[in-house]
Amino acid sequence: MPAKSLEQVRNLCMRRGFVFPGSAAYGGVASFWDYGPLGVELLNNVKKAWWQDAVYARDDMDGLDAAVLMSRKVWQHSGHEATFNDPLVDNKKTKKRYRLDHLLEAQTHEVRAALYEATGSEDVVGLVHALMGQPGNAPMQLHSAQVIDPANGEQGDWTEPRQFNLMFQSHVGPVSAAQGTDEEKAARVYLRPETAQGIFMNFAHVQRSLARKVPFGIAQIGKAFRNEITPGNFIFRTREFEQMEIEFFIKPPQFVAEGEKNDEQWHEEWVQQRYRWWLRYATPPSAGNVEMEETESRFRKRAQAADELAHYAKATTDIEYLFPGALGWGEIEGVANRTDFDLSAHSKDVPEEDLKRLKLEVNKDSNEKFDYFDPDAKARYIPWVIEPSAGATRALLTFLCEAYHEELVKEPTKQEIDQIRSDAAMIRKNAEKKVKEARKDIEAGKEPKHQPDKVEAFLAQLEDVVARLPASLDEVLLALDHEGAQNLEPVKKFRPPTEKFMEDCTRTVLRLHPALAPIKLAVFPLKKNKPEIVELAKSIKQKFQKHFRTVYDDSAGIGRLYRRQDEIGTPYCITVDFESLEDGTVTVRERDTMAQERVAIDDLHDYLLPRLEL
Ligand code: GAP
């Protein structure tokens, strides 16, 4: 089962260094988050997996990294300055502020029905349009319908709803003029609310510099900023986030030749392609068919209704994930057919019929026409665009929720405890025999296979632990780690099932796809006071850290170290033990199955690389 609440994921993120609240020393600042040592690795891996799929794995894509700040004119002509708004309303009594649509959705059926009747609308979207379109009347209508403030459950004293632009403003250079004056407006810039416009601005640069033929696309990853009214649900909706966007330029419908894909087919193809990407990285290689089906049931494609579409879109299909708890289904990516809206909006000399079709004004500011001469169609046109747009930070949350598995502390049964006791008895019998043999060897002046004192010290510890079962359950592995337990055959035999049993009792595991895992490999010495073992473990760490994130840890017993790595999704752990010194092999333990294998140190590279899917 994946995470049951966002709280579980949030706790893990803070505890283990994935995500921290921003500006925490000053009490934090609403909905800004910092990505810690593990968070930055995971986020980088998400972006890498996206770039790999969007750019490297294709013949028709190039990358871009445009500036965050662009001319204000970009946002005027894209339509964002006029329409990138949320409708807001305040309760004068409680001073609470709401997005009008959210407030209406929180009302009872009766309250909404009264408003539908008064305004002649049929749904919340229509209601918002109606209320915004009747300046002066809305407060009275909200009052007559007895619209409740969810904060206190009482009827509110509502202000006139107003549009609130979501773009953060700043200024280039020093500006002292008041807001709205010509001087202020001339210096005004916006932090981009989508990375897409940087791609449109560079369409001609990329096409000409690389002599690209349509169809081709441009991919970009970068920060976006929205002054969201209702940020929240941890990092799901934030005011600063990261997007991974593709603008894929295609022929306008009238130039599509026989056998070529039209805009709707390209749209569908991108929806499928992106959906597959999400499933691929949400499913660890260890997943069986049942688990894969369960994962797939938490992802869906949903075509937006006409009244949900952004001002530029002919059609949009959202890819959604079923987040845990109250959040439920949430958009993780939108795949939009933006037609020729944006490139036309930023072009001069666009034919009048196209301006009319796209509901655009003549652009008198632009000195560029974003058109393209198609050598096959022997025609010049402004390309259409299919836009798959995903959130990188939202993807991180999605993959964490899906990967999170909490395996509850299991009360061991009497039978399981008896099994440990009988295993311990077997170990004791064998160890006592080995002690006798070792003493004989010493008496005969031969090199003993075991150190009798150490084996006896181990037996004393084991006896103590077994006597206190089940309270001492978490000390069993610790006892098996004892120096005197090394090279005792029954210990070797019983360690894997005992370890498995202990981990089954309590374990949180992030079943992340290995390509996304923040740390790929953890190396442990079985004994931190054995310099040869420590040295060998560190040398293995050094060998692999050149290739991928590898850590060395000797701060606890092996069982605990495994659990710590499980909790952060490390796909492989290596334990170096006494046998390693003798035969050059180590124990490699896989995170999801907990299966252990002895692998020669020389073969580790070939063993790990394909399994990590890097
Ligand atoms: N260029 C199109 C565009 O920006 P969008 O649906 O507004 O479309 C695309 O955003 C994706 O960006 C969303 O599917 C989501 O993953 C992410 N996103 C949007 N707003 C966000 C926010 N406030 N916080 C985190 N991610 C956000």
Side-chain angles (χ1 to χ4, degrees), residues 2-18:
K4 292 191 189 73
S5 73
L6 274 189
E7 207 46 40
Q8 280 179 324
V9 176
R10 187 190 157 111
N11 285 345
L12 175 73
C13 281
M14 306 228 185
R15 193 170 66 244
R16 297 303 309 270
F18 283 88

Side-chain angles (χ1 to χ4, degrees), residues 509-512 517-519 564-571 591:
V509 56
L510 279 187
R511 294 189 200 277
L512 284 170
I519 292 168
R564 278 191 204 155
Q565 295 299 325
D566 289 344
E567 197 181 40
I568 58 170
T570 305
R591 177 197 66 200

Side-chain angles (χ1 to χ4, degrees), residues 128-181:
V128 170
H129 281 300
L131 292 167
M132 301 299 295
Q134 299 176 357
N137 274 345
M140 196 197 60
Q141 282 176 322
L142 294 172
H143 179 78
S144 309
Q146 302 187 353
V147 169
I148 300 294
D149 185 338
N152 60 2
E154 291 170 17
Q155 188 178 338
D157 180 5
W158 301 106
T159 60
E160 185 74 53
R162 65 199 181 287
Q163 292 292 6
F164 172 79
N165 195 284
L166 299 183
M167 289 193 292
F168 282 98
Q169 278 186 25
S170 188
H171 296 96
V172 174
V175 177
S176 51
Q179 179 77 9
T181 56

Side-chain angles (χ1 to χ4, degrees), residues 2 46 49 274-299 321 332 395 398-405 510-517 569 571 590-592 610-613:
V46 168
R274 295 297 310 139
Y275 186 72
R276 282 197 297 273
W277 182 86
W278 282 101
L279 287 186
R280 176 175 169 202
Y281 286 103
T283 318
S286 60
N289 285 346
V290 175
E291 209 179 318
M292 274 158 87
E293 272 172 32
E294 279 176 9
T295 294
E296 187 157 4
S297 73
R298 288 184 285 274
F299 287 84
Y321 176 70
I332 48 178
T398 306
F399 292 128
L400 278 178
C401 288
E402 184 58 27
Y404 187 97
H405 286 70
L510 279 187
R511 294 189 200 277
L512 284 170
H513 190 285
L516 301 185
E590 198 273 336
R591 177 197 66 200
D592 297 347
R611 288 173 169 81
L612 290 172
E613 294 192 35

